[in-house]
Amino acid sequence: MITEEKLKILTDSAKYDVSCSSSGSGRKNTGGMGNGYVAGCCHSFTPDGRCISLLKIVLSNDCIYDCKYCPNRLSADVPRATATPEEICELTIDFYKRNYIEGLFLSSAVHKNPDYTMERLLLVVKKLRTEYRFHGYIHLKGIPRADERLMQEAARYADRMSYNVELPSEKSLKLLAPQKSKESLLTPMQKLAVQSAAFKEEKRKGLIKGHFLPAGQTTQMIVGASPEPDGQILRLTQALYRKNGLKRVYYSSYVPVVRDALLPETSGGQLREHRLYQADWLLRFYGFSVEEIVNEGENLSMEFDPKCAWALRNMHLFPVEINRAPLEVLLRVPGIGAKNAYKIIEARKYTKLSFEDLVKMRVALKRAKHFITCNGKFFGAKSENAVRGLLVAAETQESAEQLDLFGMLSTPQNALIALTGQL
Amino acid sequence: MIYFFDGTKNGFLCALTEAFHDDAAVLVTSQVQLALGESPVLVSTDDEKAKKAENRLLSFDKDCMYDLDTLFRSGMENHLQIAFDYFRLLAKMKKPIGKRLAEPAVFAAVECMKKVGHEIHKMHGFIRFMETESGALYAPFAPDNDICDRLVPHFRARLPEFPFVIHDTARKKAAVYDGKNTFVAPLDGAQVLLSANEAEWQSLWKRYYQSVTIPARTSKERNKQMKGYMPVRYWKFLTEKQENPTNFDEIT
Ligand code: SF4
């Protein structure tokens, strides 16, 4: 059994990876332990409000690289530890059995060299799947510059892999993570995307069995450690979704755990991170393109959520009639999330919806009322200025509930994820 | 009019038949204070009559008995009344009504069922098994709704080789999977002998929970968020939220 001390060191080093999602794997139990839960599942929540779904741990925090922002960089004086593959397997199995976790999120510092590290990671996932017959969720972080064959083999055992882009531009990478490059992070992602598509095709033809990253790939960017504006960050995001078929892009507001002249002294701020996630939802589920949301050199509005901000720039498109507007238009109404949009579409089949009906159905109207009519009647504020004022008020009042507001997504699977609060 | 029934599904169906035309029908299972001059109707449960009502309802909406089962499990005080209003509307409309959310009776029933569903989903995450000496797993909990047996398929699918007991300590009943079959049984106190390593795994998990928290991100608001997702009333059974290793005298 792993010691508490080792566990502390190895999990301390893993916790800044924000992804904890366990969704997207429908892996079946074929004897042994575990299965995938397509919707994902939260097993606990930390006092900082985040969901614990996976056992997030690094195999080693003993790094040969020297990324400026990282507490485990080569030049840092911190306690080091390296786990054996058995220790990780056992921990996963025993936590899983007790229903503490949905699976494993395994990554590692670059220990000795990239190939050695990737080999060890591969050994853990292979052991878990074959020796321990574990079918629960496994998210594996890839090691940049490791042999491509190791990556490809790992993809047969893991549900999801991620190569973190870390910083949103090559320039910042050079400055803060000199041993990494955009190319060393993006190439494996592109290769995996291509191989995954090829695998799917062969599987469809019945030529091959098994899995290849059924839950796809994700990545993470640190926000606020370097100067890129939101517009630039979100353009990279859009490209990653469209070109590399990524499932999720995570944003991690920079937390200054390390002091360095090249790094800011303060945290990037959680509101900024939150706005980026809201804009990200718009890209993935609401049919927006980044060009509609923010200009390349600009940041998102702190005052309004990105959908509100867009609507205020496009007042000529509103109000829309709640009984006639098609789904894609309803989705663009501030305050109406996907769940409510579907509710409205269903309910209006049976009756002409009045404002009171919407209230009864608990559709949040504080913002929406300025952008809709019900049977031709308008219930919002008269002037655009008044609307702005009221929206700002609604925003401050609801800031605590905001995550929910945008958590209403397009598929039942995603709605469930939103409901359970997973990022 | 007030209708007393025995609290069973068949009793409910009979009450529904009897009170069908009474728009002010109130359904109760226990003694309530009656206003002067009010005379309650005592509904007698007749299985045949219930079966007829059931078949009729099923012909309007083939999934409605699952909904009824869900509504019965609800821990809301007025859940039977909600079920009653919903089913009376179904009988009147004679076709599925689940999507007519502008109807107050439908909205209330849907919300009530959602609450049960949400708790089941949450419990898929919040159940905490302990390993017993024999290797079987034991999880006590006290949910808002009567759901212990609804949790079994999920855990059975992922832990097919482990017998387990999910114990609703509030309702004093348990869902049991013996490695082959599933059944529900009354269960009051449970004497559980834990495996040799159980305490150590629990403390590793607690250590993990502490170490993943990022202090710089913890705030009053975030803490509130945590409590929203993971209500304090559930904490009693969450290993990571307990000070000491699980103590059975406290639970059962
Ligand atoms: S590679 Fe960079 S970010 Fe990763 S552990 Fe090493 S120093 Fe830290």
Side-chain angles (χ1 to χ4, degrees):
Chain A
M1 196 184 290
I2 196 167
T3 63
E4 280 199 33
E5 187 50 31
K6 211 184 219 185
L7 181 77
K8 186 180 177 323
I9 295 172
L10 296 177
T11 53
D12 251 345
S13 307
K15 70 182 172 195
Y16 293 99
D17 225 303
V18 288
S19 160
C20 197
S21 162
S22 56
S23 61
S25 159
R27 204 177 279 273
K28 297 264 178 321
N29 183 298
T30 49
M33 183 188 295
N35 59 11
Y37 193 158
V38 176
C41 184
C42 286
H43 287 256
S44 192
F45 290 86
T46 56
D48 52 37
R50 292 175 311 149
C51 148
I52 297 182
S53 183
L54 303 174
L55 165 64
K56 271 192 226 179
I57 192 165
V58 297
L59 194 54
S60 171
N61 75 335
D62 198 355
C63 200
I64 56 163
Y65 284 3
D66 205 31
C67 306
K68 292 270 183 299
Y69 49 83
C70 175
N72 292 318
R73 69 198 184 286
L74 177 67
S75 56
D77 178 23
V78 292
R80 307 282 174 175
T82 301
T84 64
E86 284 73 22
E87 281 172 333
I88 302 285
C89 290
E90 210 190 26
L91 189 62
T92 307
I93 292 290
D94 270 274
F95 274 14
Y96 190 89
K97 181 160 72 178
R98 289 168 176 77
N99 204 39
Y100 298 162
I101 54 168
E102 207 45 32
L104 173 67
F105 182 130
L106 183 64
S107 69
S108 182
V110 184
H111 185 44
K112 294 190 181 153
N113 60 60
D115 278 349
Y116 176 79
T117 312
M118 196 66 204
E119 263 163 37
R120 301 292 279 179
L121 292 173
L122 172 61
L123 192 62
V124 176
V125 291
K126 203 167 167 175
K127 249 181 194 302
L128 270 172
R129 291 287 192 228
T130 54
E131 270 174 51
Y132 291 85
R133 297 187 301 148
F134 176 70
H135 310 287
Y137 197 86
I138 300 180
H139 180 154
L140 188 67
K141 218 164 122 194
I143 303 297
R145 300 195 196 285
D147 191 317
E148 195 188 323
R149 278 163 305 183
L150 296 169
M151 164 188 91
Q152 206 174 343
E153 195 180 352
R156 299 295 308 271
Y157 299 105
D159 290 296
R160 171 170 280 179
M161 277 179 78
S162 57
Y163 286 84
N164 285 353
V165 295
E166 311 279 18
L167 298 163
S169 76
E170 178 79 30
K171 201 169 136 213
S172 295
L173 273 175
K174 273 223 176 78
L175 200 62
L176 299 174
Q179 284 100 336
K180 294 175 182 168
S181 67
K182 206 170 164 189
E183 179 266 344
S184 74
L185 300 163
L186 289 181
T187 311
M189 274 192 240
Q190 281 151 0
K191 287 205 168 134
L192 282 176
V194 171
Q195 286 162 4
S196 166
F199 181 89
K200 264 195 204 125
E201 185 54 24
E202 285 191 34
K203 193 168 175 179
R204 199 183 54 80
K205 288 189 191 144
L207 300 172
I208 201 167
K209 275 208 183 91
H211 303 276
F212 194 102
L213 302 183
Q217 299 187 68
T218 61
T219 192
Q220 175 174 318
M221 282 185 243
I222 305 166
V223 176
S226 53
E228 295 79 8
D230 297 343
Q232 188 181 343
I233 293 174
L234 288 167
R235 273 167 181 74
L236 177 56
T237 298
Q238 180 167 285
L240 288 166
Y241 286 140
R242 291 189 180 168
K243 292 202 194 114
N244 295 9
L246 257 64
K247 283 273 155 60
R248 287 293 306 266
V249 173
Y250 292 92
Y251 311 90
S252 169
S253 167
Y254 172 70
V255 181
V257 274
V258 174
R259 279 188 177 278
D260 189 293
L262 292 171
L263 288 168
E265 303 243 327
T266 52
S267 149
Q270 294 192 19
L271 183 57
R272 182 174 181 204
E273 181 186 301
H274 181 54
R275 289 280 185 255
L276 283 168
Y277 276 113
Q278 290 179 318
D280 189 278
W281 293 120
L282 296 184
L283 293 179
R284 287 188 299 144
F285 301 109
Y286 288 77
F288 282 81
S289 73
V290 70
E291 290 74 20
E292 293 176 283
I293 298 172
V294 60
N295 292 328
E296 180 149 18
E298 285 171 15
N299 281 320
L300 292 166
S301 151
M302 288 293 124
E303 209 177 358
F304 302 107
D305 72 66
K307 204 209 272 190
C308 253
W310 171 83
L312 287 168
R313 287 193 303 272
N314 291 280
M315 285 307 270
H316 59 283
L317 301 175
F318 296 102
V320 297
E321 169 56 41
I322 213 81
N323 284 295
R324 271 196 315 272
L327 179 63
E328 61 275 18
V329 172
L330 284 180
L331 284 173
R332 288 183 171 234
V333 175
I336 294 189
K339 214 170 167 184
N340 278 328
Y342 285 108
K343 246 198 222 171
I344 290 168
I345 296 236
E346 278 303 331
R348 77 185 184 190
K349 285 185 192 155
Y350 304 100
T351 174
K352 271 213 168 313
L353 296 173
S354 65
F355 193 77
E356 289 68 38
D357 287 333
L358 295 182
V359 173
K360 269 193 261 165
M361 289 158 61
R362 306 227 187 108
V363 174
L365 291 164
K366 209 178 275 170
R367 290 154 216 251
K369 69 178 175 200
H370 306 296
F371 301 91
I372 56 170
T373 57
C374 307
N375 288 324
K377 286 200 201 101
F378 180 68
F379 296 86
K382 295 272 175 323
S383 76
E384 208 177 304
N385 271 339
V387 172
R388 277 175 190 275
L390 290 166
L391 287 176
V392 174
E395 175 83 17
T396 9
Q397 208 174 350
E398 283 170 19
S399 66
E401 306 154 26
Q402 267 174 20
L403 283 170
D404 292 344
L405 193 78
F406 265 78
M408 314 305 182
L409 310 173
S410 58
T411 63
Q413 174 192 337
N414 283 313
L416 258 179
I417 296 168
L419 181 139
T420 54
Q422 286 194 44
L423 273 180
Chain B
M1 200 67 99
I2 293 174
Y3 297 81
F4 282 104
F5 81 113
D6 61 5
T8 63
K9 179 181 141 196
N10 279 353
F12 177 89
L13 290 165
C14 291
L16 190 67
T17 314
E18 226 160 289
F20 185 69
H21 294 292
D22 179 357
D23 282 336
V26 176
L27 207 57
V28 288
T29 53
S30 55
Q31 212 64 42
V32 289
Q33 197 70 47
L34 296 175
L36 203 65
E38 240 176 346
S39 56
V41 177
L42 292 170
V43 178
S44 59
T45 302
D46 173 342
D47 292 348
E48 221 165 277
K49 197 164 139 195
K51 191 74 212 156
K52 257 197 210 151
E54 178 174 338
N55 287 337
R56 239 175 99 69
L57 291 166
L58 282 171
S59 74
F60 304 146
D61 175 356
K62 63 179 174 32
D63 301 320
C64 70
M65 284 301 131
Y66 187 79
D67 293 343
L68 182 60
D69 180 65
T70 306
L71 289 165
F72 257 73
R73 289 162 182 276
S74 163
M76 277 167 71
E77 220 176 297
N78 57 342
H79 67 126
L80 293 171
Q81 190 66 42
I82 289 172
F84 187 71
D85 295 341
Y86 179 81
F87 276 87
R88 205 164 50 167
L89 188 65
L90 174 63
K92 273 200 185 124
M93 305 295 269
K94 298 189 167 40
K95 58 186 168 202
I97 54 171
K99 290 191 170 149
R100 297 171 177 251
L101 292 175
E103 286 285 351
V106 176
F107 187 80
V110 168
E111 286 297 300
C112 183
M113 288 191 273
K114 251 197 231 161
K115 279 205 177 113
V116 178
H118 287 185
E119 192 176 45
I120 291 171
H121 181 73
K122 279 191 180 246
M123 284 305 162
H124 286 161
F126 295 156
I127 283 288
R128 291 287 175 271
F129 284 115
M130 299 167 220
E131 188 184 55
T132 65
E133 237 184 359
S134 69
L137 303 171
Y138 171 74
F141 77 143
D144 301 339
N145 307 290
D146 187 0
I147 54 171
C148 65
D149 52 316
R150 283 253 183 123
L151 296 174
V152 172
H154 173 81
F155 290 106
R156 190 181 162 157
R158 59 172 49 187
L159 300 168
E161 292 166 9
F162 296 85
F164 60 75
V165 176
I166 298 175
H167 185 185
D168 182 338
T169 59
R171 291 174 188 78
K172 301 193 195 313
K173 65 195 275 195
V176 180
Y177 168 64
D178 65 6
K180 248 200 217 122
N181 302 305
T182 307
F183 52 93
V184 181
L187 182 63
D188 202 343
Q191 271 285 346
V192 184
L193 291 174
L194 297 180
S195 72
N197 288 332
E198 179 56 27
E200 275 179 86
W201 285 115
Q202 287 191 15
S203 71
L204 276 176
W205 171 239
K206 278 185 214 171
R207 162 62 71 193
Y208 179 72
Y209 182 76
Q210 285 163 13
S211 82
V212 289
T213 301
I214 300 179
R217 285 176 162 245
T218 309
S219 64
K220 225 172 154 184
E221 218 165 84
R222 295 275 165 163
N223 214 41
K224 217 174 99 194
Q225 220 173 48
M226 164 183 70
K227 288 178 184 165
Y229 294 132
M230 190 167 79
V232 177
R233 64 181 183 282
Y234 293 154
W235 290 11
K236 186 174 158 199
F237 299 99
L238 291 169
T239 320
E240 63 274 26
K241 286 291 178 194
Q242 288 154 20
E243 295 290 321
N244 304 307
T246 310
N247 179 347
F248 280 94
D249 302 338
E250 278 170 29
I251 291 173
T252 54

